[in-house]
Amino acid sequence: HVTAIVDHVRATFGEAHPDVLLDILHVAHVMSGCDYTSFLAGIKKKSFWKTIVAMAASDRLQVVLEEGLGRLSSADATCIIGNVRQIKEDILTNIEVFWACLHLTTAALGKLRKSPTTPLPTLRVTRTLCPNVMEADGFPISRNELAQHALRVAFVTRQFEAGTNPTVDGAPEPAGWGWYIDEEGTLQIRWSTGPTMAVHVGVDKAKSCILAPKLL
């Protein structure tokens, strides 16, 4: 997967590719779904990375990548509020914009890249921009659920980095990073700390939501 992505980056930009593309390679791999964390329904890695490459070609959207995915694996990506670990609000806001961009049509994303005045999309982006993935009341995922997914991505990414870079400290344990320990002492996914909008069982694959790891 990594080799194919790097080749795609070089084919698109040559050696003058934006540094952010390689900087977020590991984060993008985990966020789009790997064996260690939750993954996205209806969005394959190829489409995921094509959106990233398209966004990197725009100065404004490149900042979204840098301030969202680019900071997710950093030691200061999270904070503790009321004994609960959370993704910092400014990072989560940029991840939300990126998530919404994943669901834009090619034409809509192209317009966003070319027009500096077009508002950045959110999880509540208008139905006309995303006719195939929208429910009547918006994406079948809440910001809270996206935050829990981002916590899991941050944890797994830090573990990956700690395994290859001795100067990086991995997170000590997954509990509190989008997982929790139930009454039987089993590690469980925390889908949300609030109302859950996504249907995680029997989901329509054409819809966007976060599913459990492929391997448990």
Side-chain angles (χ1 to χ4, degrees):
H1 288 304
V2 172
T3 301
I5 290 172
V6 172
D7 288 345
H8 182 60
V9 170
R10 287 176 175 161
T12 304
F13 292 97
E15 294 303 320
H17 58 74
D19 291 339
V20 65
L21 291 176
L22 299 185
D23 290 343
I24 66 174
L25 182 60
H26 54 311
V27 179
H29 167 69
V30 177
M31 177 163 276
S32 59
C34 70
D35 293 341
Y36 300 97
T37 189
S38 43
F39 66 101
L40 315 183
I43 301 177
K44 303 299 182 183
K45 284 187 180 293
K46 184 176 181 180
S47 298
F48 194 94
W49 193 254
K50 279 187 173 181
T51 299
I52 289 176
V53 170
M55 292 177 67
S58 160
D59 290 342
R60 182 168 67 141
L61 296 182
Q62 187 177 140
V63 172
V64 171
L65 295 176
E66 292 171 343
E67 296 300 314
L69 274 63
R71 291 176 57 197
L72 196 55
S73 63
S74 65
D76 65 345
T78 66
C79 58
I80 304 296
I81 300 178
N83 295 323
V84 177
R85 184 174 299 279
Q86 299 182 23
I87 298 293
K88 288 185 176 178
E89 195 68 16
D90 59 330
I91 297 176
L92 182 58
T93 294
N94 283 288
I95 291 174
E96 178 181 348
V97 173
F98 167 70
W99 185 277
C101 285
L102 284 172
H103 301 84
L104 296 180
T105 63
T106 301
L109 183 57
K111 179 180 178 181
L112 187 63
R113 288 169 50 192
K114 296 175 183 178
S115 174
T117 59
T118 300
L120 292 174
T122 68
L123 293 182
R124 296 297 180 176
V125 67
T126 59
R127 185 182 179 89
T128 56
L129 292 179
C130 308
N132 296 325
V133 297
M134 293 291 289
E135 298 290 357
D137 59 345
F139 277 106
I141 179 176
S142 66
R143 182 182 174 91
N144 191 300
E145 289 175 292
L146 182 58
Q148 294 302 309
H149 179 62
L151 277 171
R152 291 187 286 273
V153 172
F155 173 84
V156 173
T157 302
R158 286 183 63 183
Q159 297 299 86
F160 284 172
E161 291 190 347
T164 58
N165 186 345
T167 66
V168 175
D169 293 327
E173 58 182 28
W177 293 78
W179 289 278
Y180 68 97
I181 305 295
D182 66 15
E183 295 179 354
E184 298 179 354
T186 303
L187 187 67
Q188 302 284 356
I189 285 182
R190 186 181 301 282
W191 293 115
S192 173
T193 58
T196 301
M197 298 171 64
V199 178
H200 303 289
V201 179
V203 66
D204 178 354
K205 295 299 184 180
K207 305 295 183 183
S208 169
C209 71
I210 300 170
L211 299 182
K214 298 176 183 178
L215 298 179
L216 291 176

